[in-house]
Amino acid sequence: MEMKAMGPHLAMPVIEPTQVGEARRAAARLTHEMGFDELASGRAALVVTELGTNLAKHARDGMLLLGCIPGAAGGTLEVLSLDQGPGIADLRQSLVDGHSTQGSPGTGLGAVRRLASEAHLFSVPGNGTVIVARIHAKPAPGVLAHGQAFSVGGIRLSAPGETVCGDSWDVRMNGSKARVMVADGLGHGPLAAEASQAAIQVFATAVGAPHAVLERAHALMRSTRGAAVAVVELDAAAHSLVFAGAGNIAGRLLSGVDDRTLMSQHGTLGVQIRKLADTSYPWPEHAMVVLHSDGINSRWNIDGALGILQQDPTLIAGWLLRSGLRGRDDATVVVIKRAQARGPAP
């Protein structure tokens, strides 16, 4: 089954109240482009307003990310709220209408939970909060499709000042197996985007082991400036994964007891590579795989983020991006794990 990866998220800092209006107008433009009706657009605007107001009032270094997820039901607006603190001591209480820590009406997070089609929240006191809210254009069930073995989330951001993203990613799922590719075109801007998209086009139709997919892409990317590319193939039934990469796409396999690096080889697809090879790893039941471009600092960790492995994959990606974003280049982080039913926050 093909799963269409979404385009880049729009990143908007929210550190003072006037920026909330800018984010709301951006959300209105995106929902209009996706064909949302007036009711769904209104819900999206309210969610963005509540999350933005919460950032402006309470958070440090707040940011909203807005992304469009294509779909047969008309698409989805995905909204992420990221901040560096102060965190929320009691998550359940914060979602109760009327709760406030600063004398405000206290309806913000409760309203987000009611208005969004899906909502997920994770916070560490003293270390910040990530909220993911999705608003569907049309009503849709809040669970994964029957038989789907994987849950995948990704965020990609364009380099500052750029209108296109030089990173790309995609995923293909078929029963108990899935493949993910992440590509980072050299540099940034349109030529970088051309290179990474060339790799994704090969990924859409190529067959064979991950290293064979990369070799095929290498041959067809000679006319581009080249890209760092990695492919991971996961088998939920066999509890295993196979990884191959060329260049500085970072891969990590994390569980509650292990943190293993997935090793790429030196080289650049479309320019020069050594002989590529696959590496196999066991995939423990509760482990997740993270792939990211070098727009994310590779020294991130999840120390102190108790329970993060059980969260929605896009929320996890947001947590990693929140503290690891370099801010000088395109940035992409993709998280894939075994499927869990998606639904509203508790």
Side-chain angles (χ1 to χ4, degrees), residues 113-168:
R113 182 179 63 171
R114 286 184 283 105
L115 292 164
S117 307
E118 304 175 46
H120 308 271
L121 186 152
F122 183 79
S123 186
V124 175
N127 194 28
T129 301
V130 174
I131 302 170
V132 177
R134 299 185 183 97
I135 303 93
H136 302 319
K138 299 177 182 178
V143 295
L144 292 166
H146 176 70
Q148 186 170 311
F150 304 93
S151 184
V152 186
I155 301 170
R156 64 184 179 113
L157 302 179
S158 301
E162 293 290 351
T163 58
V164 297
C165 184
D167 292 354
S168 299

Side-chain angles (χ1 to χ4, degrees), residues 315-326:
L315 187 149
I316 298 170
W319 185 264
L320 300 179
L321 181 142
R322 178 193 66 98
S323 55
L325 183 65
R326 295 182 186 273

Side-chain angles (χ1 to χ4, degrees), residues 68 80 96 108 110 136 168 233 295 315 323-324 330:
C68 300
L80 287 91
V96 176
H136 302 319
S168 299
E233 182 174 86
L315 187 149
S323 55
D330 306 304

